[in-house]
Amino acid sequence: MNAVPVTILLIEDDPGHARLIEKNVRRAGVANQITHKLDGTTALEHLFGRGEHSKSDPLLVLLDLNLPDMSGTDILARIKADPLLRRTPVVVLTTTDDRTEIQRCYDLGCNVYITKPVEYEGFASAIRQLGLFLTVMQVPEQD
Amino acid sequence: MTSSATAEIDRVLYGRGERLAIAAGGLLMLGILAASLLIAQRTSRDAADAIAARTLRTATIQMMDSLLSAETGQRGYLLTGRREYLAPYTKAVSRVPVLMETLDRRIGGQPDMIGWRNVINDKMAELAETVRLEEGGRHAEAMAIVQADRGRHDMEIARAISDRLGAAESSAILGDIVRSEAGARLQFGVDAGASAVLILLAVFVGRGFSRTVGALSLGRAELIGANAALQAGRDRLEAAVAERTADLTLANEEVQRFAYIVSHDLRAPLLNIIGFTAELANATDRLNRFVTNNLEPAGITVPLEVREASQEDLPEAIRFIQTSTAKMDRLITAILRLSREGRRVLLPERVDMAVLLGNIADSVHQIAEKAGAAIAIGDTPALISDRLAVEQVFSNLIENALKYLQPARPGQVRIAGALEGDWVRYSVADNGRGIASRDLDRIFELFRRAGPQDTVGEGIGLAHVKALLRRLGGTVVCESTPGAGSTFIVKLPTVLAHSGEVTQ
């Protein structure tokens, strides 16, 4: 594996969910840096604002749809409309398996849609698969 | 129209006054007809009498005329000796007997007539004798008879009688005329009276009629007014219904949103419980592995309390949490599904029930086989409805039927259907364990179940069935005999109204 670092941006308002996701991502052997944003506004600032994130850096977005200040689909649309960010893989995490919502996310360009509670095996494999397209830094299996 | 209303109209149409008037009018008309007939008969008799009197009068005059003609002819002949002067005489000779016969027929028995006949006959005989003497060239003899004044005398008597007869006849004619005129006047009077009565009757009945017509048109006006009022009331009612429907639709939408949001938001903390319980289980496993793999082989004794905590208490607590959260997750999922189902737009299409039920039976084939049950699908009419919703209804009912069978006997699930007007009535009958009558309503409530809780389930299926049928404009009821079996009767409109926007 080569070592171009991909940053994972986790946009999730529920700290418990964020912690669980982080734990499972780590457990899947993914050691990349995880940046956690608790709402849409700060997430958009991070993505499109000055400073923090350089648009050229490779990025993976884990996006919760139910955010207190906006719908995750708005963020998804913004990412997919941006010429530099539109290739960024987005994993949508949500509590609902509403078919129309899932369809809408795929239409907007989401790469993977995962229903919570995450079946951890599936979640980890989804992350790993995405890692095949990106350069995801893997840490050696610990066990 | 009610019978009292009919009676009312009868009363208005035929008031007591009008009924009496019409009856009296009928009687009067009969009387007038009879009188008219009598008068006409008498008048015609009078007229016949008058004609007879005139005939008699004419005959009398003609008789005198004939006598004079005969005398004139005789005198001319005797004076000139030329036969052509005799023509009036000859003509009279042939006419007198005819006239005499007519007169005899009419007044043959009257004394004047007897006398008249004698004197006429005598006159005619005197004339005949003189003519005969003249013809025989005995002119002097003939002239002697004439000069004997027999003929002149006869003529005077005949004229006198004729005058008398004439007077009598004239007066008879006059009487006849008077009677005839009286008859005509009577006839006229009766006719006029009848006409007057008829006119009066017509006026009376007409007034009644116009009153009736007035009452009717008044009634009609009232009816129109009442109709308008009714229409206004109906409009108000419809407006109220529309308003209420709009309110209910809004309330329904709110409930839907509420259910969606609640279930969504309930789920977020639940996911934490589920996730962190998994973390707890994971950590406990690691602890126990460490004890088993590292401490015990190293001869380190773990206190019983600690062992119990890590190997029994923690896993037990975690198990309970997981069972409960799993159930809670199912319930929330069910509410979410119901709320989502309630917002789904229904698409009416032709649903071949035989095919649909056949597919359901195929999909539950394994369950049925395992339960030793048979599914029999009878005649099931097709309908126009939302396929998915109908499928969910019958899937639930058939799965339930297989779920609550009586283990002691082979299961039987019979599905049948029949058209009932604009409805189709389907029944799903089983020979399972049945449902107590007190539970027949409860089973359709969300999260409620009946009987021994020996099968897996959350009490969602029938609530779902009921909610679906409400949206489809249908109904479901259950009939059951505990221990013998249950029958679920589903009624659906044969054609689902296209009401895509309605949310329930």
Side-chain angles (χ1 to χ4, degrees), chain B residues 260-433:
Chain B
Y260 184 79
I261 290 166
V262 162
S263 49
H264 241 282
D265 292 356
L266 278 178
R267 221 155 173 236
L270 180 66
L271 290 187
N272 279 327
I273 300 171
I274 291 170
F276 284 104
T277 308
E279 290 299 319
L280 269 179
N282 192 307
T284 307
D285 276 354
R286 273 181 287 158
L287 271 177
N288 286 329
R289 269 207 307 279
F290 180 74
V291 169
T292 317
N293 298 342
N294 301 69
L295 296 185
E296 283 175 349
I300 300 168
T301 317
V302 178
L304 187 65
E305 225 181 352
V306 175
R307 180 183 287 274
E308 270 183 5
S310 71
Q311 291 188 352
E312 289 166 32
D313 296 348
L314 274 173
E316 188 192 39
I318 289 165
R319 248 191 342 269
F320 273 112
I321 294 172
Q322 283 177 331
T323 315
S324 295
T325 52
K327 177 162 186 177
M328 195 160 177
D329 187 38
R330 282 198 303 272
L331 299 187
I332 290 170
T333 305
I335 296 174
L336 247 178
R337 206 181 72 202
L338 282 180
S339 91
R340 207 180 292 149
E341 188 57 52
R343 287 181 304 170
R344 195 171 71 80
V345 174
L346 298 176
L347 291 172
E349 59 177 309
R350 190 177 182 280
V351 181
D352 188 331
M353 287 302 286
V355 172
L356 185 137
L357 291 166
N359 288 342
I360 295 173
D362 287 346
S363 72
V364 297
H365 174 72
Q366 280 190 325
I367 303 170
E369 206 165 63
K370 221 165 117 186
I375 301 174
I377 301 171
D379 190 25
T380 47
L383 77 170
I384 291 172
S385 197
D386 182 89
R387 178 187 299 277
L388 192 63
V390 172
E391 189 171 5
Q392 284 174 333
V393 165
F394 286 94
S395 287
N396 268 297
L397 292 179
I398 293 167
E399 279 167 24
N400 268 5
L402 292 172
K403 203 165 164 182
Y404 302 103
L405 286 171
Q406 192 84 287
R409 56 174 175 253
Q412 273 284 337
V413 180
R414 292 182 314 282
I415 304 156
L419 281 171
E420 280 183 2
D422 294 335
W423 298 80
V424 196
R425 179 187 190 275
Y426 300 103
S427 59
V428 178
D430 63 58
N431 61 344
R433 69 190 202 193

Side-chain angles (χ1 to χ4, degrees), chain B residues 67 113-125 153-159 161:
Chain B
L67 279 180
M113 187 56 213
I114 295 164
W116 209 37
R117 189 194 307 117
N118 291 337
V119 81
I120 287 168
N121 284 342
D122 191 63
K123 173 67 185 173
M124 288 309 284
H153 188 73
D154 278 350
M155 273 310 273
E156 274 168 12
I157 294 169
R159 192 171 285 114
I161 292 175

